Amino acid sequence: LLEEASKIGLAVLVEVHDDRELSRAIDAGAIMVGVNNRNLRTLVVDTAVSHSLIARIPDTMTAIAESGISNASDLRSLRDAGYSGFLIGETLMTASNPGQRLSRMLAECEVV
C-alpha cells in the first residue's frame, strides 16, 4: 500500500505502536512514521512509547508523536526527544475552545 500510494503522489504516514511495527515500517521504506501512544487493545495512553521508539527512527524519516499529548510539557518533551510533528486529538476535542487551547500549549512550550 505504501508503494502504491507513493506512486500516485500521496504522502503516507505509517502508524506504529511498537518496535516490531516500527521495523516493518522502516523495511517497507516509509518516510513518515506516526508513533501512536494509545494501546488499541486496552486504550491506555502512555507517551513512554514515543520516547522508547525515537532512538530507532532513522534521521531520514519524519517522526510524528500521536496521542497522549495534553499539555505544553508533553509537547516540549516529545519535541526535544526528536519528534517534528504531533497529533493532538482528545485534548483539543474536549476543550471548550480548541484553537485557544492549542495556541496556549504552543506558547507555553515556545513553539510559536
Side-chain angles (χ1 to χ4, degrees):
L1 290 174
L2 175 64
E3 185 177 315
E4 291 303 312
S6 297
K7 282 181 188 176
I8 60 171
L10 294 176
V12 179
L13 174 65
V14 178
E15 184 172 281
V16 303
H17 299 87
D18 56 34
D19 194 58
R20 182 182 59 84
E21 290 178 358
L22 177 57
S23 292
R24 289 176 62 196
I26 293 168
D27 291 346
I31 58 170
M32 210 172 15
V33 65
V35 178
N36 193 334
N37 295 305
R38 184 180 310 275
N39 180 316
L40 298 180
R41 289 180 187 83
T42 65
L43 301 181
V44 171
V45 179
D46 185 359
T47 58
V49 175
S50 282
H51 286 285
S52 70
L53 292 181
I54 191 65
R56 290 213 43 247
I57 298 175
D59 291 339
T60 57
M61 190 180 277
T62 300
I64 311 294
E66 304 175 350
S67 297
I69 302 166
S70 59
N71 56 53
S73 178
D74 294 335
L75 194 56
R76 189 176 6 302
S77 174
L78 291 163
R79 180 195 62 202
D80 292 348
Y83 286 91
S84 58
F86 310 91
L87 185 151
I88 306 170
E90 186 176 350
T91 295
L92 298 180
M93 296 303 294
T94 58
S96 59
N97 186 328
Q100 187 178 58
R101 176 81 168 113
L102 179 60
S103 292
R104 188 175 47 226
M105 283 176 68
L106 295 175
E108 288 174 6
C109 72
E110 301 170 349
V111 171
V112 177

